[in-house]
Amino acid sequence: MAHKTDVLRVLILYKFGGIYNDNDVIWINPISEDLLRYPTVACLELSRVGDWPRVVSNGIVISKPKAPFLIHVLESYWYFRDDIWALNSVLMYYKILERYPDTIHIDKKLQIECGNENLYSCHPVWIEDSENKHQPYTIQDATAAHFTHLGYPSIFKSFADIKTKSGIGVELANRIMQSVRQTGKNYLLDDN
């Protein structure tokens, strides 16, 4: 099913253009008008697979119709491996980036990557080396937060946790709560 949705995503973007995001993406800032001038926009991920130097995320893809990058992605399916999940979904994206770098714009600040079933473990993908992972940043530095491998951390079980903990996830949760309050639907924030 995951491979079918990967193909469907590319076909829809190829035909209509637009913005695709996984259901575990939360938009933090509006998409820059500057990004909309490129035929295709995506972001690198922190994760690495085997000997591959990087991975291109397909969790957020911005594209114009009939974009050359998408044509290359569709053509890459001639070599399909169902037993290696990442091959056709994100690794081939990286190979296409290497071979046809002018067909895609990599926006380093498109996403903050949050994962490992820990809402407090969010990292900016633009800080690559482990020595600089604690370099200061705020969620305002990114366009979106992508919660890969997200379980159900305690922050989602109690609003009280938001008041006692800190971190990028808590900052994001506070912004979401603030937006809910602005709608006047405070009952959605009731702990009961």
Side-chain angles (χ1 to χ4, degrees), residues 18 21 39 45 70 88 117 123 144 149 157 160 181:
N21 64 262
E45 288 187 3
L70 299 178
N88 293 99
E117 297 186 7
H123 300 286
H149 311 293
K157 293 181 182 171
R181 284 188 192 102

Side-chain angles (χ1 to χ4, degrees), residues 76-173:
S76 75
Y77 282 106
W78 72 267
Y79 183 72
F80 178 77
R81 296 277 309 265
D82 194 38
D83 59 322
I84 305 173
W85 176 83
L87 180 66
N88 293 99
S89 62
V90 292
L91 295 176
M92 291 304 270
Y93 277 52
Y94 186 80
K95 281 297 179 192
I96 295 166
L97 166 64
E98 284 184 324
R99 193 161 190 195
Y100 306 103
D102 294 339
T103 64
I104 185 170
H105 173 73
I106 298 296
D107 180 23
K108 292 181 178 182
K109 294 192 174 185
L110 189 58
Q111 71 180 24
I112 290 175
E113 196 174 302
C114 305
N116 302 322
E117 297 186 7
N118 182 351
L119 188 59
Y120 310 106
S121 177
C122 297
H123 300 286
V125 298
W126 59 90
I127 301 175
E128 294 181 40
D129 59 50
S130 59
E131 292 177 17
N132 289 323
K133 277 197 177 168
H134 299 291
Q135 179 180 332
Y137 70 94
T138 68
I139 60 173
Q140 287 299 114
D141 294 333
T143 305
H146 190 179
F147 293 88
T148 58
H149 311 293
L150 183 63
Y152 294 96
S154 63
I155 193 169
F156 286 146
K157 293 181 182 171
S158 168
F159 291 115
D161 283 350
I162 297 171
K163 297 174 186 170
T164 60
K165 296 185 176 167
S166 64
I168 202 83
V170 173
E171 187 178 342
L172 186 56

